[in-house]
Amino acid sequence: TLTPSPSYPIVVVARIVPLSPPTGVSYNDSISVGDIPGNATRYAIFYFTAEESVTSQILTFQVDVRDARGVVADSRLITFLTKEKK
C-alpha cells in the first residue's frame, strides 16, 4: 500500500452508486478530489436535484473513494428521503 506524503500525494476520486435506481433525482456520480498529501483533508460535495418526476422514496447510495490505482477506502452508505411533488 502506498502512503501519501508531501512528496508523493495520492490522486483521489469519490463516486456514489445508488443501491437501487432513483426516480426523478439527478446527481453528479463522481468527483475528482485531486491530490491528497499526507495528513491533509479534502472534501467532495455531491449535489442532488429533484426533478418534476420525483417520487416519495428512500434512497441509499454507496460512497466509494478510490485512488489512481483503484484502491478503495472503506465504503460508506448515505440514506435520505425524497417526497413526491404535489
Side-chain angles (χ1 to χ4, degrees):
T1 314
L2 293 175
T3 303
S5 68
S7 60
Y8 190 78
I10 303 294
V11 178
V12 174
V13 174
R15 297 187 62 87
I16 57 172
V17 179
L19 297 188
S20 61
T23 302
V25 177
S26 59
Y27 56 93
N28 53 326
D29 64 353
S30 68
I31 297 174
S32 177
V33 180
D35 295 340
I36 302 181
N39 297 321
T41 301
R42 297 289 186 268
Y43 296 94
I45 299 173
F46 291 93
Y47 293 95
F48 296 84
T49 302
E51 300 167 352
E52 289 297 321
S53 60
V54 70
T55 61
S56 297
Q57 59 196 313
I58 299 172
L59 297 176
T60 300
F61 289 83
Q62 179 174 311
V63 180
D64 292 326
V65 179
R66 298 176 185 265
D67 67 17
R69 297 167 295 130
V71 176
V72 181
D74 291 338
S75 295
R76 299 287 189 241
L77 296 178
I78 58 169
T79 300
F80 59 92
L81 308 173
T82 63
K83 187 172 182 180
E84 181 178 1
K85 292 183 177 182
K86 295 184 179 197

